[in-house]
Amino acid sequence: MTSTPSPAPGPDDPDRRTATAGSAGPPGGAGRPIRPLVARSREEGHRVATPLELFFDLCFVVAVAQAGMGLVHSIAEHHTGTGLLSYAMVFFAIYWAWVNFSWFSSAYDNDDVLYRVVTLIQIAGVLVLAAGVSKAFEHDYFVLWLGYLIMRLALVTQWLRVARACTGAERRMALRYAGGVSLCQVGWLSLLFLPEAGRGWAFLVMALAEISVPAYAEKDWTTPWHAHHISERYGLFTIIVLGESVAAATVAVKSAVVEHDALGELLPLAVGGLLIVFAAWWIYFVVPIHGRLRGNRQAFLWGYGHYLILGSAAAIGAGVEVAVEQTVGAAHISQLAAASSVTIPTALYLLTVWALHARYFKVGIAQQLVLPMATLAVLACTFAGRWAVLAAGLVLTATIAVGVTLTARMSTRNPAPRPT
């Protein structure tokens, strides 16, 4: 997907003099309210998510919830194809806006007043974007584009601040980011003017352009993102998305119970959905991935792949909602289609988590096969009728039990066991 960028200049390189100025991290609330936006150090200790970053993530819940709701309505109304395309487009906008902010903050967050204000403007853009999600499922992208514009202009402002504070290769990198983001935002205008038949292709072209910007911008200078901080940020966002799936499924079950008094029919769905989400959390966090993120090649592929992890995680909750609506007769689709709306995103989640990081920590063929075989088993559960969701949840519970058992056996043979 990307070529390996040149390593960041060493500590003796004159182009790095601005980066080392920020190596101790942000100065906190004391000092000048506006400071140069200089690079932080990759070796900074105790680097964790800030309250502002957590607030930023929390505001994305609204957009994720709206995207899931749009997918539910599309599937329930027999518009699965167009609904999936709209969901893919909307979720990419959500995901990529979050990615842009998170990687920038990992490298350059100085926590001054201007940085905070610009970030709050980005949050306002997120809320505008969320307000336009439902319209986007009706092929009206103006409000979505407007929210994206607010976020991207704020991001460009941050990159121009970096360019002003540094020199040499680092300055060229910052200007490339500012220019690339701006050009891509102009390119997204195509969704407003192209006929509906061409919008899917326009989305594909623009998505590829967006993910190419970091590779181009960092070909001479690598931003000093912090591996532990980045892995924590992705983990926290994954938790938020899984939490939204739990919340959406809970609301759907509650509404169905109140309106249709169908607790007996819904109990297997509720238990199965909860087991799936619990297992999704367990499987994601069982390995410490930050040690593998040694350079841009690994980190970019890992970060880009989270589009599928996060998108499928959010779709699991939407699928449970669809299954609930089908059970109580509110969605006039087949039982097989309702079950597929849960099992397919669950299988995609399992396979992607395995491919991106779990497989690098597996020892032996038995451990390597656990998640791929679980993926096939979950897909087979699609044909279990009204018990499909519960069956998928039980399969994942068994998967975790098998993984824990294999790890325990490995630890008895090896005094220094590797995580699974």
Side-chain angles (χ1 to χ4, degrees):
M1 186 179 297
T2 62
S3 59
T4 304
S6 302
D12 297 329
D13 191 298
D15 281 343
R16 193 169 175 82
R17 60 184 179 273
T18 56
T20 57
S23 60
R32 293 179 297 169
I34 299 178
R35 298 180 294 273
L37 204 57
V38 296
R40 299 177 66 152
S41 171
R42 284 181 183 267
E43 308 304 323
E44 184 181 337
H46 308 291
R47 182 75 191 277
V48 296
T50 66
L52 182 59
E53 288 174 325
L54 297 176
F55 185 42
F56 186 87
D57 292 355
L58 185 62
C59 292
F60 268 84
V61 172
V62 181
V64 172
Q66 291 296 313
M69 189 181 302
L71 182 60
V72 170
H73 292 163
S74 296
I75 296 175
E77 295 172 6
H78 293 279
H79 302 308
T80 303
T82 56
L84 287 174
L85 177 59
S86 295
Y87 178 77
M89 295 169 67
V90 167
F91 201 88
F92 181 83
I94 297 169
Y95 154 83
W96 195 244
W98 181 88
V99 164
N100 284 178
F101 168 80
S102 297
W103 287 82
F104 179 90
S105 66
S106 186
Y108 289 102
D109 176 8
N110 71 349
D111 199 35
D112 70 356
V113 171
L114 186 54
Y115 180 87
R116 291 185 176 194
V117 169
V118 174
T119 299
L120 293 175
I121 292 173
Q122 288 179 280
I123 290 175
V126 173
L127 299 179
V128 174
L129 181 147
V133 167
S134 58
K135 282 290 187 180
F137 276 86
E138 300 171 3
H139 312 295
D140 180 355
Y141 298 99
F142 176 73
V143 177
L144 189 78
W145 181 87
L146 181 61
Y148 212 49
L149 175 66
I150 295 171
M151 287 186 286
R152 306 312 289 285
L153 289 177
L155 180 66
V156 168
T157 300
Q158 299 284 47
W159 279 117
L160 292 177
R161 289 189 66 198
V162 173
R164 182 179 180 182
C166 61
T167 59
E170 186 179 12
R171 184 174 188 274
R172 291 194 298 273
M173 177 272 298
L175 291 175
R176 285 171 183 160
Y177 263 116
V181 169
S182 299
L183 288 175
C184 285
Q185 185 60 35
V186 173
W188 286 116
L189 278 169
S190 58
L191 295 180
L192 304 183
F193 299 107
L194 283 176
E196 187 174 330
R199 289 174 179 173
W201 293 107
F203 162 72
L204 180 61
V205 170
M206 290 311 306
L208 291 174
E210 288 278 9
I211 65 177
S212 298
V213 169
Y216 168 69
E218 300 193 25
K219 64 179 183 177
D220 300 321
W221 178 281
T222 301
T223 53
W225 46 267
H226 194 284
H228 189 279
H229 178 249
I230 280 293
S231 64
E232 182 192 34
R233 297 286 289 112
Y234 274 83
L236 291 171
F237 197 50
T238 301
I239 289 175
I240 285 176
V241 172
L242 290 174
E244 171 54 34
S245 291
V246 172
T250 301
V251 171
V253 171
K254 177 184 176 182
S255 299
V257 168
V258 171
E259 296 175 12
H260 301 277
D261 194 21
L263 180 60
E265 292 84 353
L266 296 175
L267 192 58
L269 291 177
V271 173
L274 199 60
L275 289 176
I276 290 172
V277 174
F278 284 174
W281 170 85
W282 189 298
I283 291 167
Y284 184 93
F285 289 100
V286 78
V287 294
I289 191 58
H290 64 270
R292 178 169 168 75
L293 305 181
R294 297 185 296 271
N296 276 13
R297 176 179 290 275
Q298 297 97 336
F300 281 5
L301 291 175
W302 178 84
Y304 292 170
H306 271 72
Y307 170 60
L308 295 177
I309 290 179
L310 296 168
S312 59
I316 290 171
V320 173
E321 287 192 70
V322 170
V324 169
E325 291 193 8
Q326 192 276 334
T327 299
V328 299
H332 302 291
I333 58 175
S334 68
Q335 202 166 62
L336 183 64
S340 299
S341 66
V342 179
T343 57
I344 290 177
T346 301
L348 179 60
Y349 177 91
L350 293 175
L351 194 59
T352 311
V353 170
W354 173 81
L356 287 179
H357 61 241
R359 65 190 178 98
Y360 298 108
F361 296 87
K362 302 296 183 181
V363 180
I365 189 66
Q367 286 191 344
Q368 285 290 358
L369 286 176
V370 171
L371 285 182
M373 294 303 295
T375 300
L376 295 176
V378 166
L379 289 175
C381 291
T382 305
F383 304 97
R386 63 186 293 260
W387 303 102
V389 176
L390 179 59
L394 293 174
V395 164
L396 292 189
T397 303
T399 298
I400 292 172
V402 170
V404 170
T405 301
L406 291 175
T407 301
R409 289 180 179 177
M410 185 64 63
S411 66
T412 61
R413 301 173 187 174
N414 187 347
R418 298 173 65 185
T420 62

